[in-house]
Amino acid sequence: MSQATLPTRLSETLSGPEPIVSRLRTLRRAVGLWLWARGLARALLLLLAVVAIDLLLDRFLKMDRIQRGGCLILAVMLLAFYTYRFLIAPLRHSIDDDNLVLRVEHRHEELGQSLISALQFSRMTGFEELGVSTAMVRATIDHGTNAAEGLNFGDVLNDSVLRRNLLLVAAVVAVFVGAFALPATQPTMLVWLNRNILLGDELWPQKSHLVVQGAIDGRVMRARGDDWTAVVTVKKGWEEMPSEVVFESRPLDLPFWRGSRTAPMDKLGDQDGHFELPFSNVLEPFKFRIKSDHETTRWYFLDLVDRPSVEKLTLMLTPPPYTNEASRELPVGKGPHVAYEGSRLAISGTANKTLSSAVLSNGDWSINLDCTENEFSGNIPKNELIGGAYSITLTDDERSKLESSHPTKFAIKLKADRAPAVRATPKGISGIIVAGARVPVECKIRDEFGIASARLDYQLHAADSASAPAADDGQAAPAPKTVSIPFDDALGDQYGKSKIEYSYLFDVEKLNLDVGTRLVFWIRATDANDVSGPKTGESDKLYLRIVTRVELINDLARRETEQGQTFMRLLKDQEDMLNETEVILAIVAGKSTMPDKQRRDLIRIHRRENLVSDRCDRIASQLEKLVAEMRNNRLNVPGLVKKLTELVIDPLRKLAKDSDRQDKGLVPQATRFLDDARRAASHPASRDAALVRARDTQRQIVREMKKISKNMRTAEGYSDIVNRFYEILKAQADLNTATQEEKDRELDRIFEGGFDKPEPKKTDTP
């Protein structure tokens, strides 16, 4: 018994699809940053708290060196433990790729298990030994890789916590830097550093400052969320400055027995009798008083007033008229919002309080909005709407005249209207035509909003224009004149639609072109853009060359001969398949089993037979193109066209498939019988019957193909017709009284009899 070998499992962290591995690598760095931020924030906050507590204890209790040394040891131990617990230990813990991928899949439930499957499969080898499809494994890996494309792995982390921790780190660092750098706090911090870190004996200041400023009737008014600095001055007439000034505060809802919070006030610069205490981001009102060694003030109340802010904002965008789109409301908080050039924007909203003014700005551009109590509104005309970030700044109607601290913003992205997409495809012609030809052109025009007009433009280039000399003055020869043929009469009722499909018959005969002229034409369409347009789109240029009827017929003959040769090779292949089928039938007839060689041969014949239908269809299609070219070039050979269609093209179509049901054709029937024989290889009766039916059908196919081949040979090809046309030209060149009409009638007579049995060729025919 064979031993099954499990796929070899490779490294779990160093291999995998590059899009997934690179994103995991980025996520691992983000996790490291997240842990660093959290650990540092907690450690620094603890350090800040320890420093603050130590400073306050020493400032008020005036501890001795032993006490200060004990506090220093306790602080170092606490900081070391806290740093190891929340910074070093988490960073030492390794997170493998599988756990990270599982966290991502848990965050994005729509992924299922596609990422973990792709990652684990990519680490394994040896699937073929287990009989596992490597294509299936690759598809699983590709599916997971494609799912990872454009996916943000970092959203498994709490970005708000990271930002908060980074802000905390920055804030604490700023506090320490400010505390040691600012003149107001530097003396106090240096004293603390000397006493509590260096365990020196420097003394705390014994003299300090005094009482309040900016209060009206015992109240101070500030904006909620703003920074505020409490300023205290010493009243004039005092003989001795207070040795210490302390700011004592208490929340309004805190009972008096719960105590209050105190903080020493710093001296304001070098001014005597001035003290201050800064507060950042004040969100709640409180009461406070000032204490010194000489006096305790009354309670003052800090009243917080909200800055004006937008409570509701409505953005109504009106697209330009040519888009035929209705006005729509833009979702606030999303964007940037896409607007076409020429759009108008209406802004309206309500604020949280009565307004005195509202300003909408975008860079150096701004307009004043209309204000009514707490409502504001305004419009941006179509010629003033620009792309970029807009902001709304509000000013309240109170005595303080506070402005909004964080203006409401939204972004507009202007989008230019694209030109119409035009596609022109000639049907039933090649790169060469006669002067009397007609060119069917299929036109497909698409525009985002509507098509205003369409036309055909063409240019005529003389036979020698490509190498024409420059003008006498050394300048290049003038460009060919462009002539336009409008489609207004045919497409007038379709203008305004976003999609137009039109078949135009370009009658080249009306242009009276000479042989050798090169005709260049294209389709051009314009839209209804009346703002930045109209925009014009053009199709690719199509190039045709005017040739004589003889040149065109010679080219058609060459292509017809190629198709005939292709069909003869197909007939030979079909005869070979018939012979091989007969050989298989002769070998396996009446036998209980089919040998492996005959089974393989049968499968190969079935595959080859299955291709015959498409090859017959392709030959018929090429011949139909030749017939279409004959009609479009007005070669006037209805007899030839009819016989070629009825005796060659239609039989080819019917041989491959039926017009009603595809499996009615002889070739599909033979294919089905061969498949039945393959499936019934172990059932002699059914197998032999299917092989007999396949053989008989193949014989019929060969007979039909020989008829088609005979009809193609009977036509004698276009080469004989061209040779006979040369004979007429030679004979009529000796007749000065011959007219062009007689030549045309003779040519028509030749083509009408093209399928008759040809006369023997003359050896001296040019």
Side-chain angles (χ1 to χ4, degrees), residues 347 358-362 365-369 380 390-392 410:
I347 303 100
V359 178
L360 176 67
S361 60
N362 182 354
W365 177 92
S366 64
I367 60 171
N368 293 319
L369 303 178
I380 304 179
Y390 289 82
S391 61
I392 301 175
F410 61 91

Side-chain angles (χ1 to χ4, degrees), residues 48 74 105 163 181 206 252 282 347 376 491 571 627 695:
L48 180 63
L74 290 176
E105 289 181 342
R163 289 192 295 269
Q206 301 299 316
L252 296 180
V282 181
I347 303 100
F376 59 90
L491 301 181
L571 173 58
V627 171
R695 179 201 60 191

Side-chain angles (χ1 to χ4, degrees), residues 49 58 152 198 217 268 352 575 735 753 762:
D58 186 42
N152 181 14
L198 303 178
D217 297 331
L268 181 60
N352 60 338
E575 290 175 340
L735 302 176
K762 297 181 180 180

Side-chain angles (χ1 to χ4, degrees), residues 293-307:
D293 53 354
H294 301 134
E295 181 184 2
T296 299
T297 68
R298 54 170 285 186
W299 287 101
Y300 290 86
F301 293 88
L302 178 66
D303 296 331
L304 299 181
V305 180
D306 291 330
R307 286 184 177 272

